Amino acid sequence: MDNVCTTKIKPRIVGGTTSVHGEWPWQVTLHITSPVQGHLCGGSIIGNQWILTAAHCFSGVETSENLRVYGDIVNQSEINEDTAFFRVQEIIIHDQYKMAETGYDIALLKLESAMNYTDSQRPICLPSKGDRNVLYTECWVTGWGYTRPRGEIQNTLQKAKVPLVSNEECQTRYRKHKITNKMICAGYKEGGKDACKGDSGGPLSCKHSGVWHLVGITSWGEGCGQKERPGVYTNVAKYVDWILEKTQTA
Ligand code: ARG
């Protein structure tokens, strides 16, 4: 079965289109239950009890008891009190994280119970460590985030194809920031397609030799889909050792 949906639906993420069931089986929606339950951030399944997401998602989160991870979801409206979810046993935030714009925007969620994999709920491969040499030609950002800067969380999971941008070019677009090699940028010079608020923590998924790899974690950007303002992602290839360390000792 092909992973890419060829059905054209109305454009939306910013400038994206709606996804279908099983298209992004590693994408999860992370909900917070207090004061009311709702979508907080995206995340990616990387192991049967491990979700990779962004550290900045947890700035207002008091306890992991208020979190719920839902897999195998396309429409937020599928979620009701009877929908199965995973509880979070532990939130592991990178100890050098301060804020998204200065990097280390990465966190692991250890689930209380292991998930059973299905065709529509399964992990994505991590990139291999030295993946700078790999040319990723097909990258997609997905999420339930805003479709415009002052938008709202979307019901249906959105997707947009975005080209990777070199760090050199990305640095020229963000003169006031330091774009480190632990960040990776994606977007069109003319803008139009991008992640936005609510997509954070979710995947930038790139296909290479037929296999999808988790190349980035949605982290930050100036506005959404603005020209010459690419989206900035945590460069997962640079954190493979950190991920292995934390998932093997925790
Ligand atoms: N920080 C935002 C969030 O919390 C996502 C930022 C991504 N922005 C962008 N323009 N690529 O959901």
Side-chain angles (χ1 to χ4, degrees), residues 131-157:
D131 255 6
R132 265 182 299 181
N133 315 325
V134 180
L135 285 183
Y136 290 109
T137 50
E138 195 187 335
C139 295
W140 292 77
V141 61
T142 49
W144 289 272
Y146 292 11
T147 57
R148 54 197 158 87
R150 291 200 189 102
E152 58 279 305
I153 294 301
Q154 297 299 300
N155 183 43
T156 306
L157 181 62

Side-chain angles (χ1 to χ4, degrees), residues 56 194-200 218-225 231-233:
H56 81 257
D194 193 9
C196 199
K197 194 172 164 63
D199 292 320
S200 279
T218 300
S219 179
W220 63 278
E222 177 63 46
C224 302
V232 186
Y233 299 81

